[in-house]
Amino acid sequence: MRVHVQDEFLAVKVWDAWVRIFHWSLVASIVAAYFFTEDGDVPHEIAGYIALGLVIARIVWGFVGTGYARFAQFAPSLRALRTYIAAMASRQEPRFLGHNPAGGMMVITLLVVALVAGISGWMMTTDAFWGEEWLIALHKTASNLLMVLAGVHVTGVIYTSWRHRENLIRAMITGRKSKS
């Protein structure tokens, strides 16, 4: 019988406040840039600059931040990723307190693609690259890929929450996960 953990003292602090604020702020800025602003308009650029700044700050935090925020804690080797995916296929994947290898790889991929979208968007505003078709195509491709990856990420969160009977969305709000 699995006991549902509600007492705070039975839970472990996993996601620090910066990671949680970063996560939800990035979601808001990307959704605003993609769905609620027009390409090239000032609100679109502001949302994009906020997203780019957040991604750069998160990359720094990945090297100097708290334990579960560090890339060294969750960036998987290809072997670990293959092993985890094979375990998922056989429905025997282990639970991780921090990111599992698939989740860790998704975080890195999302950061890289968001960085490409942000830098290409900024470059499009400069005199040197104004109107460059290849850059416009890169920005559009990165932005669309980011939306696809976000959908895969959300699907993975829902699947992992269901498989391990824990609410990962709540954990990304409170910063806490059950020890077991």
Side-chain angles (χ1 to χ4, degrees), residues 131-179:
E132 289 287 337
E133 292 298 322
W134 69 267
L135 191 58
I136 294 167
L138 175 63
H139 183 69
K140 188 171 293 242
T141 299
S143 299
N144 289 334
L145 180 57
L146 194 56
M147 291 298 108
V148 170
L149 290 171
V152 172
H153 171 65
V154 169
T155 301
V157 166
I158 292 168
Y159 172 78
T160 303
S161 292
W162 171 75
R163 281 286 293 139
H164 297 290
R165 293 176 175 74
E166 63 183 334
N167 188 335
L168 293 178
I169 295 170
R170 183 178 64 212
M172 189 47 80
I173 294 169
T174 67
R176 298 185 170 279
K177 288 179 76 176
S178 169
K179 290 179 187 177

